[in-house]
Amino acid sequence: MDTLQIINTLEKVKQQNPLVHNITNVVVTNFTANGLLALGASPVMAYAKEEVADMAKISGALVLNIGTLTSDEIEAMIIAGKSANDHGVPVIFDPVGAGATPYRTETSRKIIDELSISILRGNSAEIANVIGEAQTIKGVDAGKEAGNTVELAQKAAKMLKTTVIITGKDDVITDGETTYVVHNGHPILTKVTGSGCLLSSIIGAFTAVEKNVLLASISALSIYGIAAEIAASNKASDGPGSFQIELLNRLATISAEEIQGHIKIEKL
Ligand code: ATP
Ligand code: TZP
Ligand code: MG
Ligand code: MG
């Protein structure tokens, strides 16, 4: 996986302007839509069970996020996911808060059981709890005991037979056989709600244009992390409020030179 392939994948997002269907949470909806637009994708949020099958099948990717789940929304996610599966549309699943309540844990497992998921993306505690390993989670935020996230991601990928991404200080991506770590990012991302949720939707945008799931994932994680690093280093961004806006600006302008100068990926 070389940097040129990653730059080309970003170029494909900008040229193809893929439609990304999000069924996400009420906290992050606007930020997610603006982040996808900044990157060059085309966001749509659609939740009604009467329309989600039709929206999913015409989309480049479907992103499911249970951050503020309700039983009606979960029903819509399953309908949308089945339609996406039937039409070859990749499904990204962000099990926000899995482990915080039994309902979130059980719902995450139901979605994984009933749908074919291309990528499962969460923090370490969410992924641990999805596969039945207790790890403390405080609402939607991972606790301090992340443990060995490489082993955890590989175990989850093998158990669930899908690609798993665990984010945090370092991001681990694995299909159970091949594993990469992306070291880009900035701690201030943890002070902006929805920074993980937006990332899951951006991963969706990359999978819409690149069938190689590992390449799509590494491209999304590195480009998002680099945009955050540049945003954080700008004077304009002196706290989480202005950083959030600056992140959108830098997602819109990130260049091949900036990617080449900042990228930190490692193949294990
Ligand atoms: P949580 O709710 O536990 O914060 P999340 O769903 O918001 O989880 P994160 O794990 O915070 O998702 O990941 C979102 C983005 O923030 C990723 O790009 C990740 O690399 C980055 N990130 C998170 N923590 C750090 C950190 N300490 N240093 C650098 N980047 C980080
Ligand atoms: N509560 C329910 S969903 C949500 C909050 C605060 C947003 C979580 O966003 P992220 O990206 O997982 O930090
Ligand atoms: Mg976060
Ligand atoms: Mg999250």
Side-chain angles (χ1 to χ4, degrees):
M1 200 117 344
D2 66 36
T3 309
L4 273 186
Q5 286 176 288
I6 289 168
I7 292 167
N8 285 340
T9 312
L10 174 63
E11 202 44 47
K12 282 205 262 180
V13 173
K14 294 200 183 290
Q15 274 169 10
Q16 294 179 27
N17 184 224
L19 182 64
V20 180
H21 178 189
N22 304 270
I23 304 182
T24 188
N25 68 74
V26 298
V27 182
V28 306
T29 309
N30 178 273
F31 183 50
T32 302
N34 278 320
L36 286 168
L37 281 172
L39 184 76
S42 182
V44 64
M45 279 59 181
Y47 299 85
K49 62 175 187 272
E50 293 80 1
E51 71 163 347
V52 288
D54 292 321
M55 190 65 81
K57 77 178 179 200
I58 59 161
S59 297
L62 172 69
V63 181
L64 305 177
N65 175 312
I66 62 163
T68 50
L69 75 179
T70 64
S71 50
D72 280 349
E73 199 179 85
I74 298 308
E75 197 186 331
M77 285 187 190
I78 300 287
I79 295 169
K82 287 192 168 149
S83 171
N85 287 166
D86 287 347
H87 294 88
V89 175
V91 180
I92 317 309
F93 178 41
D94 187 335
V96 181
T101 65
Y103 184 52
R104 280 176 194 258
T105 314
E106 284 154 22
T107 300
S108 300
R109 291 182 189 153
K110 174 182 159 79
I111 287 171
I112 290 167
D113 282 349
E114 294 198 19
L115 302 177
S116 170
I117 301 293
S118 293
I119 301 174
L120 174 69
R121 200 292 308 169
N123 62 43
S124 59
E126 288 160 348
I127 303 302
N129 281 287
V130 165
I131 63 163
E133 288 189 7
Q135 205 184 101
T136 314
I137 180 159
K138 185 176 183 185
V140 299
D141 290 325
K144 298 239 179 308
E145 35 146 347
N148 186 330
T149 51
V150 170
E151 277 177 15
L152 175 60
Q154 288 171 339
K155 183 173 176 188
K158 283 186 184 136
M159 264 178 79
L160 304 174
K161 297 186 177 53
T162 192
T163 295
V164 171
I165 299 176
I166 297 181
T167 54
K169 184 177 173 301
D170 300 308
D171 301 333
V172 181
I173 306 109
T174 184
D175 59 8
E177 300 296 326
T178 307
T179 304
Y180 286 85
V181 181
V182 174
H183 299 282
N184 294 108
H186 193 279
I188 199 170
L189 282 163
T190 63
K191 301 295 174 201
V192 175
T193 192
S195 61
C197 301
L198 170 56
L199 174 60
S200 293
S201 290
I202 283 182
I203 293 167
F206 279 87
T207 60
V209 302
E210 174 52 60
K211 284 203 181 342
N212 179 333
V213 172
L214 284 179
L215 173 58
S217 303
I218 292 163
S219 302
L221 289 160
S222 58
I223 286 165
Y224 189 74
I226 293 167
E229 286 171 24
I230 297 170
S233 72
N234 284 356
K235 273 218 161 56
S237 159
D238 59 357
S242 43
F243 168 77
Q244 183 182 22
I245 301 297
E246 192 58 13
L247 176 60
L248 297 179
N249 294 336
R250 300 291 66 87
L251 282 170
T253 63
I254 188 165
S255 65
E257 293 70 30
E258 286 171 329
I259 295 169
Q260 264 155 346
H262 286 77
I263 197 156
K264 280 188 229 128
I265 59 177
E266 181 190 0
K267 185 169 193 263
L268 299 186

